Amino acid sequence: MSFPSFSGMISLSFLLDPSDFKELMSSLGVFFVRIDKVEEEPIMSLEALVAAYEIYWEKLLKKEKMEPSFLKRNFQLALVTHLDAINFLPIKIAKVKEPVVMMRPRPDRGLEVLYPRIFQEAGTGLIHKTFPPGKFSNTDLFQRIQRFLRKHTLPQKESPLRLGLNITP
């Protein structure tokens, strides 16, 4: 079985307080899928994601070190508008079939979402641009996240991380 390729990733890094994070994730109306690893339950609920973020936030405020396994399990996710974008393999691994918004923890603090500019189909090798929106539903999803972050965060000097309006640097 072959899998698609992605390149030209656009990255948005952010740190929101828990209420803004919940507002963002709730507003998207998406599925949160753990991909590329064996998982009994590859789909994560919004409630579980928000609860994990609240734990993350508390540890961040106390300047406690987070376990990398906790971060990876809870924040390394594909955000998709429909589950047709995911292949659920019988060996309990989920793989992407088309462009998806990837979320992952940043090494220092905060999260980042990534989206490819270019997508190469598995099997056929056909190459597609993901922009402008219309061909791939997750392109619009990425742009909705982008708009939310522009409205609810501020850029930081000498850092790609955008901080929520309720956070002091």
Side-chain angles (χ1 to χ4, degrees), residues 25-155:
M25 294 299 141
S26 300
S27 72
L28 299 175
V30 299
F31 297 96
F32 307 101
V33 184
R34 296 180 181 108
I35 60 165
D36 295 334
K37 54 189 170 258
V38 176
E39 287 286 343
E40 282 296 321
E41 296 293 328
I43 300 173
M44 184 176 198
S45 70
L46 172 64
E47 295 77 18
L49 177 61
V50 170
Y53 194 83
E54 288 170 349
I55 292 167
Y56 168 73
W57 181 257
E58 287 302 316
K59 289 196 176 270
L60 194 62
L61 291 178
K62 294 177 185 174
K63 297 184 178 1
E64 294 178 8
K65 184 169 170 40
M66 284 298 303
E67 288 297 318
S69 60
F70 175 84
L71 293 172
K72 190 174 182 179
R73 173 154 174 72
N74 291 291
F75 303 117
Q76 191 166 315
L77 304 166
L79 282 60
V80 295
T81 56
H82 57 87
L83 292 176
D84 292 344
I86 305 290
N87 257 337
F88 293 95
L89 303 176
I91 52 174
K92 300 190 187 309
I93 294 178
K95 297 291 233 177
V96 299
K97 294 193 286 190
E98 62 183 57
V100 300
V101 175
M102 290 299 304
M103 183 168 68
R104 68 182 182 191
R106 287 178 41 89
D108 49 359
R109 65 181 182 151
L111 301 174
E112 80 178 324
V113 291
L114 301 114
Y115 193 71
R117 292 177 200 261
I118 298 172
F119 159 61
Q120 184 175 22
E121 288 181 21
T124 67
L126 291 174
I127 296 174
H128 307 276
K129 291 181 180 178
T130 58
F131 290 93
K135 184 166 187 170
F136 301 105
S137 62
N138 293 314
T139 302
D140 178 62
L141 170 61
F142 181 78
Q143 290 183 317
R144 287 189 289 139
I145 294 169
Q146 199 172 36
R147 284 190 294 273
F148 182 96
L149 292 176
R150 283 183 184 148
K151 184 176 179 182
H152 293 88
T153 63
L154 293 173

